[in-house]
Amino acid sequence: MISNVSRQLETALEERTGQKVRHCYQCKKCSAGCPVAFAMDVLPHEVMKLVQYGQSERLLGCSTVWLCASCETCSTRCPNDIDIAGVMDGLRVMSLEAGSASERRIGVFHRSFLNGIKLLGRTNETVLIGQYKALSGRPFDDLGLGLVMFLKGKIKLVPRFVRNRRAVRKIFEETSRGRSA
Amino acid sequence: MTDLSFTYYPGCSQSGSASEYGDSTEVVCAALGIELAELPDWNCCGASSAHMTNDLLSVALPGRDLAAARRIGRDVLVVCAACYSRMRIAQSRMLEDEKLARRVERAVGENPRFEGRVRHLLDVLVNDIGLPSIRERVALSLEGLKAVPYYGCLLVRPPEVCFCDSVENPTDLDRFLEALGVQVRPWSFKTDCCGGSLSLSRPDVTEKLVNKIFTRAEEAGAECIVAACPMCVANLEMRQKPSTFAFELPHRLPVLYFTELLALAMGLPGVDEWLKSHIIDPLPLMRRANLIRA
Ligand code: SF4
Ligand code: SF4
């Protein structure tokens, strides 16, 4: 057996997510059923293998962990009860912490979404899209769609918000380190 | 008789782009004697963005809502599949993991351990009210309509927190639609992901998933897709072909909420207005099926 493989990544992931990636025996069911596999640079079963081999650099810079849509198809089908989507969540946060996140626009989207909640306590599509356009530097995307949405009354210009916004801000402050364990 | 009074968590979409879902929910609940009292000063559940980038936040945001629900004591009713999922996951994780519950308690300043039930409206309709009673309330049978039920991800996965009868082939929405008279078409894509979380940031990826769902629904002989989640509906309606200026719809299959069809079948007011607010116009189909006159 290989003995000089570092278990550090696997252990760190298990601490974060409770998932035992060493149980993966490479049946590839996760990749076979993954709806986003066509766009990924590393397939889900390969992610598992790379975790076992301690290949942090490859994993924390790959686009797969950002493209994973969290659909949980893999997690419900894994014969070894590994919550693969949970592993993706863990790796995604680790890639943020390591400053090596790929797929910049996806990260920007999540940040825009959470900024909106921090501000209002609720999500308003107009505020979200405005934030995303500003932060992603893509102001002209979807102008045609925006017009159709406006005509259909889907754009609510007056956002609704939480009265106790201080409580919402406190949640963001208290969770800013992001770890539950 | 089961208690049909709930604390209602409307969720952000239902007062935004999916107001037809929120409005039709309120109308059908009132007609069926389901009492809804809005959760006071509720906040957003954090949806995918919180759980994908900050695990503790993804429990603490619904944690504040669950704390308020705990004060009231009644079961919680949710209609958005994403809110439902986030609430159920946060609830069960806090009840199982005291350390986590304590951290959330510190963040929200209140006991978040809600021990009542968090329910999706479809669950209440199918399992509490029951399909025989729903059938009795149908004033206008929707037998002219061929539809495929679309569950997406969060109504069925993870199965530990969801109500549906099967994770690979759920039939709750199928049976509900049949009770309204709808001709439900079998298909294999009812629980496939539509890529909603990548809708703005990687529309090129989402587009492929969305188009596959439309193509498969058409092949199944459906004339419309029926869903129970505002994220799925928005994504299906808007993401067939992302572009800058020209908004195009290669597939014209309407995407409807199960609550809209229930209201239509029960002869309740408001349906025309809701149908008009859809991006993919369902009116021609409804006229063809003799379900509306306008
Ligand atoms: S389904 Fe489970 S065991 Fe099979 S390859 Fe994927 S993670 Fe490994
Ligand atoms: S959760 Fe992610 S990795 Fe798993 S099947 Fe869905 S998109 Fe693929």
Side-chain angles (χ1 to χ4, degrees):
Chain A
M1 274 301 289
I2 315 156
S3 54
N4 57 348
V5 166
S6 161
R7 300 292 292 272
Q8 220 181 324
L9 177 62
E10 203 188 304
T11 316
L13 254 179
E14 183 173 346
E15 258 174 44
R16 247 171 225 272
T17 65
Q19 297 309 311
K20 296 179 171 51
V21 173
R22 64 182 164 281
H23 289 176
C24 168
Y25 54 35
Q26 291 291 301
C27 72
K28 304 182 184 161
K29 218 176 158 101
C30 46
S31 300
C34 173
V36 193
F38 71 89
M40 290 173 164
D41 53 355
V42 184
L43 292 172
H45 75 278
E46 294 169 341
V47 168
M48 299 296 131
K49 191 87 178 174
L50 291 171
V51 170
Q52 292 172 343
Y53 283 179
Q55 301 284 311
S56 324
E57 221 168 291
R58 256 315 272 294
L59 286 173
L60 301 188
C62 74
S63 61
T64 293
V65 297
W66 290 92
L67 288 172
C68 164
S70 260
C71 74
E72 305 251 3
T73 307
C74 51
S75 305
T76 59
R77 290 178 181 169
C78 174
N80 291 313
D81 282 331
I82 302 170
D83 176 8
I84 299 135
V87 170
M88 298 287 185
D89 287 345
L91 289 168
R92 193 181 306 112
V93 175
M94 286 167 87
S95 83
L96 281 175
E97 289 169 1
S100 61
S102 88
E103 294 289 334
R104 181 182 160 268
R105 286 168 60 190
I106 301 178
V108 165
F109 168 78
H110 294 314
R111 223 173 334 123
S112 312
F113 195 94
L114 295 177
N115 280 348
I117 303 177
K118 204 158 139 188
L119 198 69
L120 302 168
R122 292 193 190 160
T123 295
N124 169 280
E125 287 100 346
T126 318
V127 173
L128 166 63
I129 292 169
Q131 283 255 355
Y132 175 73
K133 280 180 184 275
L135 291 177
S136 65
R138 300 181 69 93
F140 302 118
D141 282 3
D142 289 326
L143 291 179
L145 170 61
L147 179 65
V148 173
M149 286 180 74
F150 181 75
L151 293 174
K152 289 280 181 181
K154 295 214 170 292
I155 295 186
K156 307 282 190 280
L157 290 171
V158 184
R160 313 241 174 141
F161 44 79
V162 168
R163 264 175 288 125
N164 190 355
R165 285 197 294 291
R166 185 177 304 169
V168 174
R169 263 199 312 276
K170 177 150 180 275
I171 293 175
F172 276 86
E173 280 156 21
E174 293 277 338
T175 58
S176 60
R177 286 193 306 118
R179 302 269 301 264
S180 61
Chain B
M1 185 65 202
T2 23
D3 182 15
L4 291 175
S5 54
F6 293 92
T7 293
Y8 178 46
Y9 178 80
C12 303
S13 299
Q14 281 59 248
S15 50
S17 64
S19 53
E20 69 272 34
Y21 193 22
D23 294 346
S24 55
T25 293
E26 286 174 25
V27 168
V28 297
C29 284
L32 290 169
I34 302 174
E35 232 176 88
L36 303 179
E38 185 167 325
L39 183 72
D41 208 34
W42 56 272
N43 58 263
C44 175
C45 71
S48 305
S49 292
H51 107 259
M52 285 178 150
T53 57
N54 183 336
D55 186 62
L56 182 57
L57 181 65
S58 79
V59 183
L61 281 171
R64 178 172 173 272
D65 295 314
L66 291 166
R70 185 180 172 280
R71 245 183 287 133
I72 298 163
R74 262 184 304 222
D75 288 353
V76 172
L77 189 93
V78 186
V79 288
C80 168
C83 303
Y84 172 73
S85 178
R86 292 329 308 167
M87 293 268 227
R88 293 278 289 125
I89 289 172
Q91 178 190 31
S92 70
R93 282 183 60 189
M94 286 191 291
L95 293 178
E96 277 160 27
D97 179 349
E98 181 48 30
K99 218 168 112 202
L100 174 63
R102 272 203 294 270
R103 293 197 63 184
V104 172
E105 186 161 4
R106 197 159 59 226
V108 306
E110 198 180 346
N111 182 354
R113 299 166 195 80
F114 176 62
E115 295 187 36
R117 299 172 72 190
V118 176
R119 312 279 307 274
H120 190 277
L121 176 60
L122 181 63
D123 176 18
V124 172
L125 294 180
V126 174
N127 297 311
D128 291 13
I129 304 242
L131 297 177
S133 311
I134 301 255
R135 223 171 276 127
E136 272 170 32
R137 300 295 302 268
V138 171
L140 171 71
S141 172
L142 307 186
E143 56 201 16
L145 215 54
K146 295 190 189 78
V148 282
Y150 180 60
Y151 299 76
C153 304
L154 300 174
L155 219 51
V156 288
R157 291 183 296 267
E160 297 77 28
V161 300
C162 293
F163 67 88
C164 287
D165 58 350
S166 156
V167 63
E168 293 287 353
N169 184 26
T171 65
D172 306 73
L173 187 53
D174 301 53
R175 288 179 285 122
F176 170 81
L177 292 173
E178 273 159 9
L180 306 184
V182 174
Q183 298 176 44
V184 175
R185 310 294 307 166
W187 70 321
S188 312
F189 296 83
K190 49 167 92 160
T191 63
D192 271 37
C193 179
C194 71
S197 65
L198 298 169
S199 194
L200 271 181
S201 49
R202 282 296 300 269
D204 55 320
V205 173
T206 302
E207 173 192 356
K208 293 210 170 58
L209 304 183
V210 166
N211 281 293
K212 183 186 67 190
I213 290 168
F214 276 107
T215 309
R216 297 308 184 214
E218 282 159 2
E219 284 170 3
E223 299 162 323
C224 63
I225 299 175
V226 184
C229 172
M231 308 279 192
C232 298
V233 172
N235 202 39
L236 290 174
E237 289 205 297
M238 299 181 205
R239 276 294 175 239
Q240 293 182 29
K241 208 164 180 214
S243 74
T244 303
F245 295 106
F247 177 68
E248 286 175 56
L249 288 169
H251 302 276
R252 296 275 165 173
L253 225 56
V255 187
L256 300 164
Y257 292 105
F258 71 105
T259 46
E260 294 175 301
L261 290 186
L262 177 57
L264 179 66
M266 288 175 70
L268 301 174
V271 180
D272 290 9
E273 286 310 305
W274 306 327
L275 294 180
K276 276 184 205 144
S277 69
H278 281 271
I279 303 268
I280 303 174
D281 186 3
L283 294 174
L285 168 64
M286 294 298 172
R287 275 188 215 110
R288 235 178 16 249
N290 269 328
L291 294 172
I292 53 165
R293 264 164 302 165

